[in-house]
């Protein structure tokens, strides 16, 4: 039986819950359709086999080097690296112009949460991806900081710790949808809220939500 997530945060840091750190894909939005268009535009130019929606969904939560090995196993490491670099650059352009699909009531919930807590994003994405999310959906105003391995080269857990240290957070929690998100929260020593509507399956968590709006029930 888990303690309520606010009590978990207080127990670990001896302070009142002060902040919420979010994963992006599968937690705040689903960008697969736009990303698929971007990547397939590059693959078509290079006369390579097109990806399916299922191909991309199977890589959610992974870092770019892991994604490249999973999607393009027949290529050499250098070829994979160059291809993913090109796809990622075009992906950022597509996302800034077309956006992704926000989960229901995301902005309304963020607005309410931001009145009580400091909000952040840590995602396993390339540099420019979170900025594209901000640009199209105009949500930057709700977040105090963000981080990703494209800028730091760190693991997700390492980037969570970086955001915690950089912003002097005393009692944060992490909200995500994959096993990797759970492991990252454990690495950082903070409670984990599982977004069951996302891409992953997680059996261990401090709290679970079936919709983004459920966060308002947890963080009252």
């Amino acid at each position: 039986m888990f303690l309520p997530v606010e009590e978990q945060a207080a127990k670990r840091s001896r302070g009142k819950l002060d902040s919420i750190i979010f994963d992006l894909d599968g937690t705040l939005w689903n960008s697969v359709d736009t990303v698929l268009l971007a990547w397939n535009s590059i693959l078509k130019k290079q006369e390579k086999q097109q990806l399916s929606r299922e191909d991309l969904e199977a890589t959610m939560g992974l870092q770019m080097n892991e994604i490249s090995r999973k999607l393009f196993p027949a290529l050499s490491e250098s070829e994979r690296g160059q291809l993913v670099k090109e796809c990622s650059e075009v992906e950022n352009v597509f996302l800034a112009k077309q956006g992704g699909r926000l989960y229901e009531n995301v902005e309304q919930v963020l607005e309410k949460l931001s009145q009580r807590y400091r909000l952040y994003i840590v995602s396993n994405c390339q540099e420019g991806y979170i900025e594209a999310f901000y640009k199209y959906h105009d949500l930057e105003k709700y977040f105090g900081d963000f981080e990703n391995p494209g800028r730091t080269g760190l693991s997700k857990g390492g980037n969570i710790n970086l955001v915690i240290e950089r912003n002097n957070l005393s009692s944060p929690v992490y909200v995500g949808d994959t096993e990797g998100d759970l492991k990252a929260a454990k690495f950082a020593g903070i409670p984990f809220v599982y977004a069951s509507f996302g891409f992953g399956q997680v059996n261990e968590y401090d709290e679970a939500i079936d919709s983004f709006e459920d966060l308002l029930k947890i963080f009252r």
Side-chain angles (χ1 to χ4, degrees):
M1 184 74 177
F2 290 110
L3 288 171
V5 71
E6 293 200 25
E7 292 183 31
Q8 286 275 3
K11 181 179 178 182
R12 296 184 196 198
S13 67
R14 298 182 181 179
K16 184 178 179 181
L17 177 69
D18 66 344
S19 51
I20 305 170
I21 306 172
F22 293 93
D23 173 48
L24 183 46
D25 294 320
T27 302
L28 294 170
W29 76 346
N30 182 335
S31 65
V32 169
D33 289 334
T34 305
V35 173
L36 187 63
L37 287 173
W39 283 50
N40 278 340
S41 71
I42 296 297
L43 295 175
K44 184 177 181 179
K45 286 180 181 178
Q46 298 191 11
E47 298 183 345
K48 290 183 168 61
Q49 183 175 344
Q50 303 278 283
L51 298 173
S52 69
R53 200 173 195 282
E54 291 71 25
D55 291 332
L56 281 184
E57 286 181 341
T59 68
M60 289 296 153
L62 301 179
Q63 290 199 10
M64 278 298 167
N65 60 337
E66 298 171 306
I67 290 173
S68 68
R69 287 196 296 268
K70 192 174 183 70
L71 293 180
F72 311 113
L75 300 181
S76 68
E77 186 174 350
S78 61
E79 289 173 328
R80 286 197 302 265
Q82 181 58 35
L83 178 57
V84 168
K85 181 176 182 293
E86 292 178 33
C87 288
S88 297
E89 289 172 352
V90 172
E91 174 185 313
N92 288 344
V93 174
F94 271 57
L95 287 170
K97 291 181 178 179
Q98 300 181 34
R101 179 174 61 83
L102 290 179
Y103 290 113
E104 190 173 0
N105 296 323
V106 160
E107 182 163 11
Q108 296 93 318
V109 173
L110 290 175
E111 183 179 10
K112 291 179 180 179
L113 290 175
S114 67
Q115 294 171 13
R116 294 188 58 198
Y117 306 102
R118 298 158 67 187
L119 308 182
Y120 304 90
I121 295 176
V122 171
S123 174
N124 267 348
C125 59
Q126 72 273 17
E127 189 170 5
Y129 185 87
I130 297 174
E131 294 92 327
F133 165 77
Y134 283 160
K135 181 176 181 179
Y136 185 84
H137 295 286
D138 192 28
L139 295 175
E140 184 174 8
K141 56 184 172 287
Y142 299 113
F143 297 96
D145 195 5
F146 68 88
E147 203 48 89
N148 59 72
R151 292 204 305 188
T152 68
L154 298 174
S155 68
K156 181 170 279 189
N159 280 323
I160 291 174
N161 276 335
L162 187 61
V163 166
I164 290 172
E165 293 166 7
R166 194 159 64 203
N167 296 281
N168 297 312
L169 307 183
S170 61
S171 302
V173 301
Y174 189 67
V175 183
D177 67 303
T178 67
E179 188 74 20
D181 293 333
L182 168 64
K183 291 177 180 177
K186 283 187 171 183
F187 180 88
I190 63 175
F192 175 66
V193 177
Y194 169 46
S196 65
F197 51 83
F199 295 107
Q201 296 291 323
V202 178
N203 296 317
E204 184 182 350
Y205 45 79
D206 296 292
E207 296 274 5
I209 54 173
D210 297 321
S211 70
F212 197 77
E213 199 166 11
D214 283 348
L215 287 172
L216 297 179
K217 299 175 184 177
I218 296 175
F219 304 117
R220 287 183 261 209

